[in-house]
Amino acid sequence: MTQVEDDTVAPGNALAWTATSEEAFAHATAVIPGGVNSPVRAYRSVGGTPRFLESALGAYVRDVEGRDYVDLVGSWGPALLGHAHPQVVEAVQQAAARGLGFGAPTTTEVELVDEIRDRVPVAERVRLVSTGTEAVMTALRLARAWTGRDKIVKFAGCYHGHSDSLLAEAGSGIATLALPGSAGVTAAVAAETIVVPYNDVAALQAVFDEHGASIAAVITEAAPANMGVVPPLPGFNRELRRITQHHDAVLIQDEVLTGFRVGRAGWWGLEGASEQWAPDLLTFGKVIGGGLPVAAVAGRADIMEQLAPVGPVYQAGTLSGNPVATAAGLATLRLADAEAYARVDAAAVHLRRAVTGALAEAGVPHALQWAGSLFSVVFGEQAAAEGARDYACVQASEHWRYGPFFHALLEAGVLAPPSPFEAWFVSAAHDETVLDQVIEALPAAAQAAAEARAPE
C-alpha cells in the first residue's frame, strides 16, 4: 500500500490506494465538495464516515476494506433484480463492445421505449433522457407550453430532482441537510411554485379556486418515498386527476422511484389502471436504466409531440438513449417478470414484519409505512398512533432515533439507507438466507433506537 506524504492532494493526483473508508473520505473531502457527489451519501443525517464501496453482487455490497453488507439501498432503486445480474452484465458488455455512444439513434432505445409503453399503455409517447431531474424539467416545460400558464403546484416533502422551481420543501436530501430550499434559487422562480400539504385535497382545491387560471401543472410523486414513505390516502391521486382536469391543468405523476419497482406498471398499474384514470405526463428513472443513467418523460401523444423536432418545446441531450445504458435497462425490464416481482414483494413483507416486530419488542414507538415493496420507519408516539400522512408529520417525528438504529445495523453487516427520510429497498436477490442476516441484526438495532436520546 502506498500512502500520500501529506494531507494536500495536488490537482490531477489519482488516489492509488483505498485502505479504509476513513482515508478515502479524507481524500475525497479535499477534492469533492463535502467528499460526495450526492448529498445523502455524506451520512450527515446519521453521523460517522460513509462507507466507500468497491463492488456489489446480488443482495450484497462490499466496501474498500473487504467487508460485506446486506444492501437495503439498492442504488436507491435500480437494483430490482439484485446487483450485477449476470444477464444484465452480459447485455452491457455486448453493448459496450459495439461502442460506448454514438450521438445517433439506435434500435435498443426504441426497444426500451416499446417495453415501457407495453407496461404503461397511457405512456403513448416516450422521450428518453439521462436523469430523473432532466425528465421532470422537460415535463414542466411541456406543461407550461401546453397550457400557456406559468405556475406549478407541488406537495411539501415530495422530491422531483434539483431543478430550481421544485426545491421548496423537497424532502430527501433537502430534509437530510435540514435546508428549507436551496441557495441560488431566485425569488422570481420560487414564486412560480405553490407548495401544498401532501394528502390534503381541500388545500389543493383552495389553491385552484384562487389561482386556477394561472396553474400549468400539478406534480406529485405517485407514492412519495423521499420524506420516508408516505403513501397516498385512498382516492387522493384520483382527486388530483379530477381537479386538474376541471381546471385544464396538466397532471404530472413522478414515478422515478416507483416506476417498474412496485410492480410491472409502476404505481399507476397498482392504482390508476384499476380506477380508470391516467396522468397526462409521467416521469420514469432508476429501474429503466438497470443501474446506469436512463430516465424518461412520457404521456399523452398530443402533449409529448410538442417536443422538438416536431413541436416548439426544445429538449436535447448528447447522452440521451445511450446504447450501453439502454441495453442495461432493457435487459432489466425483460427479466423483471411476475416471479421477480413476487420475490421482491415477499421479501419486503417479511422484512417489514421483522423490523416492526423488533422495534415493538424493544418498546420503541413507531409507524412502519409502505407503498408496494418500498417501506420506511417513522419514530415517535404520534407516528405510532396516527401514522405520518404528510411532511409535517415526518418532521415532527423522533428521527434522532434513526442514527443509532442505522449504525447498529451497519456494525452487524447490514447497510440501510443513511437517512430516516429515504425508502428501504429489497431486491429479487434478497432470499431467506439474506433476510435472516438482517433479522438477526434487528434486536440490537432496535435497542439502540430505544436508548437514543433527543439532542438538546
Side-chain angles (χ1 to χ4, degrees):
M1 179 182 73
T2 302
Q3 296 187 5
V4 294
E5 295 182 355
D6 56 48
D7 295 331
T8 303
V9 179
N13 238 9
L15 183 62
W17 56 271
T18 48
T20 67
S21 289
E22 286 77 10
E23 290 171 327
F25 190 50
H27 181 105
T29 55
V31 295
I32 301 171
V36 294
N37 285 307
S38 190
V40 73
R41 302 176 191 175
Y43 281 27
R44 294 290 181 87
S45 184
V46 294
T49 301
R51 296 298 188 266
F52 276 60
L53 303 182
E54 67 170 14
S55 63
L57 183 65
Y60 293 90
V61 292
R62 176 171 293 177
D63 71 13
V64 293
E65 297 165 54
R67 291 179 295 198
D68 292 332
Y69 304 86
V70 176
D71 184 25
L72 299 175
V73 179
S75 193
W76 303 107
L80 176 69
L81 306 173
H83 293 287
H85 189 287
Q87 289 172 260
V88 176
V89 171
E90 182 181 8
V92 169
Q93 290 172 334
Q94 292 178 354
R98 295 190 293 268
L100 300 181
F102 313 123
T106 68
T107 56
T108 308
E109 63 190 282
V110 181
E111 290 181 86
L112 178 58
V113 166
D114 283 342
E115 180 71 26
I116 292 169
R117 293 180 69 248
D118 180 64
R119 287 165 169 256
V120 185
V122 296
E124 296 173 344
R125 298 289 186 274
V126 180
R127 170 66 62 89
L128 298 181
V129 294
S130 296
T131 69
T133 292
E134 190 180 354
V136 168
M137 289 169 58
T138 303
L140 296 184
R141 189 174 300 161
L142 277 167
R144 285 177 167 135
W146 180 254
T147 61
R149 304 170 184 173
D150 294 335
K151 292 190 182 297
I152 302 295
V153 176
K154 72 174 294 287
F155 295 98
C158 288
Y159 179 71
H160 306 286
H162 61 271
S163 59
D164 283 3
S165 62
L166 293 175
L167 280 176
E169 297 188 74
S172 190
I174 298 298
T176 298
L177 294 174
L179 300 174
S182 175
V185 176
T186 68
V189 169
E192 293 178 350
T193 303
I194 302 170
V195 182
V196 177
Y198 188 69
N199 270 326
D200 192 335
V201 173
L204 180 66
Q205 185 64 65
V207 164
F208 268 94
D209 289 344
E210 183 174 353
H211 301 285
S214 60
I215 294 173
V218 172
I219 184 167
T220 183
E221 286 187 76
N226 282 285
M227 49 177 153
V229 175
V230 177
L233 293 174
F236 177 70
N237 283 331
R238 185 176 63 245
E239 282 297 286
L240 301 190
R241 175 68 292 183
R242 180 188 64 80
I243 292 169
T244 51
Q245 277 186 328
H246 180 74
H247 291 272
D248 294 322
V250 174
L251 177 60
I252 304 169
Q253 185 160 299
D254 184 341
E255 294 233 30
V256 168
L257 273 177
T258 53
F260 315 120
R261 172 158 267 282
V262 300
R264 186 178 186 277
W267 191 262
W268 175 83
L270 298 180
E271 183 180 76
S274 62
E275 295 178 355
Q276 297 187 319
W277 61 265
D280 299 298
L281 297 174
L282 304 100
T283 57
F284 299 116
K286 309 293 186 182
V287 172
I288 69 167
L292 294 181
V294 179
V297 57
R300 284 171 42 185
D302 54 353
I303 298 178
M304 288 294 298
E305 290 189 351
Q306 297 300 302
L307 286 171
V310 292
V313 178
Y314 192 74
Q315 182 277 330
T318 299
L319 298 178
S320 296
N322 174 272
V324 180
T326 52
L330 183 60
T332 298
L333 288 181
R334 286 177 171 172
L335 289 164
D337 56 14
E339 181 182 351
Y341 284 114
R343 291 201 302 272
V344 173
D345 289 344
V349 169
H350 192 50
L351 191 53
R352 287 200 322 253
R353 290 172 177 168
V355 170
T356 197
L359 290 170
E361 181 69 22
V364 181
H366 70 283
L368 197 293
Q369 304 204 157
W370 72 91
S373 60
L374 305 179
F375 64 93
S376 65
V377 182
V378 187
F379 293 108
E381 296 285 359
Q382 181 178 345
E386 303 174 3
R389 57 176 287 168
D390 59 24
Y391 190 34
C393 295
V394 173
Q395 288 179 307
S397 69
E398 296 177 352
H399 45 77
W400 40 268
R401 293 189 186 276
Y402 188 80
F405 181 69
F406 166 86
H407 280 287
L409 289 174
L410 193 66
E411 287 303 311
V414 177
L415 181 62
S419 168
F421 304 105
E422 298 286 358
W424 294 34
F425 297 91
V426 294
S427 77
H430 283 68
D431 59 18
E432 186 174 346
T433 300
V434 173
L435 295 176
D436 283 347
Q437 185 175 339
V438 181
I439 292 168
E440 288 175 8
L442 284 171
Q447 189 59 40
E451 295 172 359
R453 294 295 177 263
E456 296 181 359

